[in-house]
Amino acid sequence: MVEIIIGVILILTFAGMIWYCVKGHNLMVGFFVIATLWMALAMVGNAISPNPKMDGQNWLDVFQYVYQTGPEGYAKSILVNVFFGAFFGRVLMDTGIAATLIRKVVELGGDRPKITMTLLCIVTMLIFTSMTGIGPVISIAVIVLPILQALGIPTAIALFSFMGSIMAGICANVTNFKQYQGILGGMDARFLNEYDYTQYFPFACVMAAVALITVLVVSFIAMRGKKSTRSWAAQAPVSAKENAPWYSWISVVLPVIIIVLIKVTEVDPKTGKESTTTFPVILAFIIAALYALLTTGNLFKGGFTEVCRRLAKEFADGSVDVAPMIGFLLTLSMFNNAAIYAAPYFEAIVGNAIPHNAFMICLIFAVIIPLGFFRGPTNLVGSGTAVAALVLSVFQWPVAFMYPVLATATIVPQHLDITQSWVAWGLGYSKVSSKDFMKMSIPTGWIAGAILMFAAFFMYGSLVG
């Protein structure tokens, strides 16, 4: 009976957290508060009837696990990857490689709006397989959005297609993979120990392709019947930084190429078990950044002292880009650990309702994918961490199946959501109403997410016994 009562209270607070997210309040503060509340409720329940997740722990052990172990573990395994990813993004911007690619695409597309928009979306997707953070998004947006508007594409559609192409890039983004891997690894160590980017990469390619195609199809449908109004000639502004040589362009996807292609597989002679060692993510970002600086003539420009200053500045600027996200992720790790303590009470209410086969899991997620908007209960960077903690505490499904499902439920709606920082910025910058944006973003997120859930089933469902 105690489990049911506390479970109901937890569900009510869960609903309150969703409301808090929808209202756009500060997420770092919100997740700290709800982590504390859930921990306190679990401790009260444990005092009345033993909680198996708190077995052998005193109250200080619980505090340590939520407030110290959570952030420390997350920082150790994930945050350095985020910082170096942001550093690399800054290098791509400041060397002019990203801007050059965009200008070349506009020259190739010419005065054909749909072709130019498609090419710009493809390039934007490729750029954001490595770049991340609101700073890089704004830097690219102020180039791309005026071009799309100049082609006569309505502003709402231009913003949607641009944000949608970023979402497609994030599907295969190495930094974001490490972020979600860390969130899930805090609940189940198998996500850190038995799964890596090279295993995810085949699905990441499918995911990015499906996402981008869906975004473009919805954009083209929305453009039907819209009157084309051109405000100026469709050309990207040219600056000295937008003349990066063609052989430097590969640096945009170089981290992904390095990580996917360079690996060592060994077989244990005693057990016959294979083990694969992948290329370090941080080193991949460093190599790609140095290649970008070298091929654009910036690596040795100004002497040793100037090079050191430039590298330090790129890292500092990149850190600023992701600083708000870091604060949020650290409090989210507290919430993750508190959710583990709360899982038995959720299980008492909804545990029997969770399906036991891969197809039903994918079908249910395909239906409820819109709940990932507004940082809802399927979103790992929202209140969905509690749902994930419950599912992973009840069932030990293969991580190769669960990661694509949970990543899809997070990435697709999250990066088309008006609560996403750069989407919110884009709405203000372009003066597009959230209603006009959501008319396209929510159907797109639902369609693409549902397709990808069934793709996950066909690719990995057989792994589930």
Side-chain angles (χ1 to χ4, degrees):
M1 186 63 182
V2 172
E3 289 82 359
I4 298 295
I5 293 172
I6 292 180
V8 170
I9 296 172
L10 285 169
I11 289 174
L12 292 175
T13 60
F14 187 77
M17 186 62 195
I18 294 173
W19 175 86
Y20 181 92
C21 293
V22 170
K23 298 298 286 185
H25 296 304
N26 186 279
L27 294 175
M28 183 176 72
V29 174
F31 277 102
F32 176 82
V33 171
I34 197 168
T36 302
L37 181 59
W38 281 22
M39 180 195 69
L41 286 168
M43 291 177 72
V44 169
N46 185 57
I48 299 171
S49 178
N51 181 335
K53 299 295 183 181
M54 291 185 175
D55 186 36
Q57 300 182 43
N58 60 45
W59 64 275
L60 271 181
D61 291 329
V62 174
F63 279 22
Q64 182 80 15
Y65 184 67
V66 171
Y67 298 114
Q68 192 74 24
T69 304
E72 279 183 350
Y74 197 87
K76 179 181 178 182
S77 61
I78 304 303
L79 295 190
V80 287
N81 295 293
V82 174
F83 280 122
F84 278 93
F87 158 72
F88 176 63
R90 273 289 166 180
V91 170
L92 287 183
M93 288 189 296
D94 292 345
T95 56
I97 291 173
T100 300
L101 276 171
I102 291 168
R103 181 165 60 85
K104 293 298 181 183
V105 161
V106 173
E107 291 174 0
L108 182 63
D111 203 32
R112 295 163 292 183
K114 289 184 178 180
I115 292 176
T116 303
M117 184 176 78
T118 299
L119 293 173
L120 281 172
C121 286
I122 291 172
V123 168
T124 301
M125 177 189 71
L126 292 174
I127 288 172
F128 282 94
T129 58
S130 296
M131 291 172 64
T132 190
I134 189 170
V137 171
I138 293 173
S139 298
I140 301 299
V142 296
I143 301 172
V144 171
L145 291 179
I147 294 171
L148 293 175
Q149 290 172 305
L151 289 165
I153 297 170
T155 304
I157 299 173
L159 179 66
F160 165 74
S161 63
F162 174 70
M163 294 299 174
S165 61
I166 293 175
M167 178 269 288
I170 295 297
C171 292
N173 188 286
V174 180
T175 302
N176 281 78
F177 168 80
K178 299 297 289 185
Q179 175 187 333
Y180 305 133
Q181 183 191 35
I183 293 173
L184 293 169
M187 307 170 197
D188 187 336
R190 293 179 305 150
F191 284 91
L192 292 173
N193 301 330
E194 301 176 12
Y195 196 66
D196 58 45
Y197 183 80
T198 60
Q199 292 169 276
Y200 169 65
F201 184 70
F203 185 79
C205 293
V206 173
M207 194 174 174
V210 169
L212 185 64
I213 291 170
T214 308
V215 166
L216 289 172
V217 168
V218 171
S219 297
F220 293 157
I221 291 173
M223 287 170 66
R224 293 176 63 182
K226 298 285 185 180
K227 188 176 179 181
S228 177
T229 54
R230 299 167 189 266
S231 52
W232 58 80
Q235 57 181 8
V238 179
S239 70
K241 282 188 176 181
E242 295 181 22
N243 293 302
W246 64 266
Y247 46 84
S248 68
W249 303 348
I250 194 176
S251 57
V252 169
V253 293
L254 190 56
V256 174
I257 293 172
I258 291 172
I259 293 167
V260 171
L261 294 185
I262 304 178
K263 56 187 175 181
V264 176
T265 301
E266 297 176 316
V267 178
D268 189 319
K270 294 181 179 179
T271 64
K273 185 178 180 181
E274 283 190 356
S275 63
T276 301
T277 304
T278 57
F279 200 87
V281 172
I282 292 173
L283 183 56
F285 279 129
I286 292 173
I287 291 172
L290 293 175
Y291 176 80
L293 290 166
L294 177 65
T295 53
T296 55
N298 288 284
L299 185 57
F300 302 112
K301 187 177 180 181
F304 181 76
T305 302
E306 176 61 22
V307 169
C308 293
R309 186 203 65 79
R310 186 180 300 116
L311 291 173
K313 182 179 183 299
E314 302 288 13
F315 193 87
D317 290 346
S319 299
V320 171
D321 290 337
V322 296
M325 180 178 71
I326 297 301
F328 160 66
L329 291 174
L330 290 175
T331 56
L332 179 62
S333 68
M334 298 178 190
F335 176 67
N336 287 349
N337 285 16
I340 290 173
Y341 288 134
Y345 304 104
F346 281 109
E347 186 180 349
I349 296 178
V350 300
N352 292 330
I354 299 175
H356 291 247
N357 66 78
F359 179 77
M360 287 305 298
I361 282 286
C362 292
L363 178 61
I364 288 173
F365 268 97
V367 172
I368 67 172
I369 199 81
L371 296 180
F373 285 92
F374 306 108
R375 302 186 187 269
T378 64
N379 192 328
L380 288 175
V381 288
S383 51
T385 49
V387 174
L390 170 60
V391 171
L392 295 175
S393 69
V394 176
F395 301 108
Q396 290 290 303
W397 284 310
V399 294
F401 168 70
M402 285 308 298
Y403 185 90
V405 169
L406 295 173
T408 297
T410 298
I411 295 172
V412 175
Q414 169 66 26
H415 293 89
L416 290 173
D417 191 3
I418 61 173
T419 67
Q420 177 66 35
S421 58
W422 53 71
V423 174
W425 170 86
L427 292 173
Y429 171 78
S430 59
K431 303 297 186 294
V432 171
S433 72
S434 57
K435 180 180 178 182
D436 289 341
F437 185 82
M438 287 190 292
K439 283 180 182 178
M440 293 175 283
S441 66
I442 293 179
T444 300
W446 199 344
I447 294 167
I451 293 171
L452 288 166
M453 287 301 168
F454 291 111
F457 170 74
F458 285 114
M459 292 175 71
Y460 305 108
S462 61
L463 298 176
V464 180

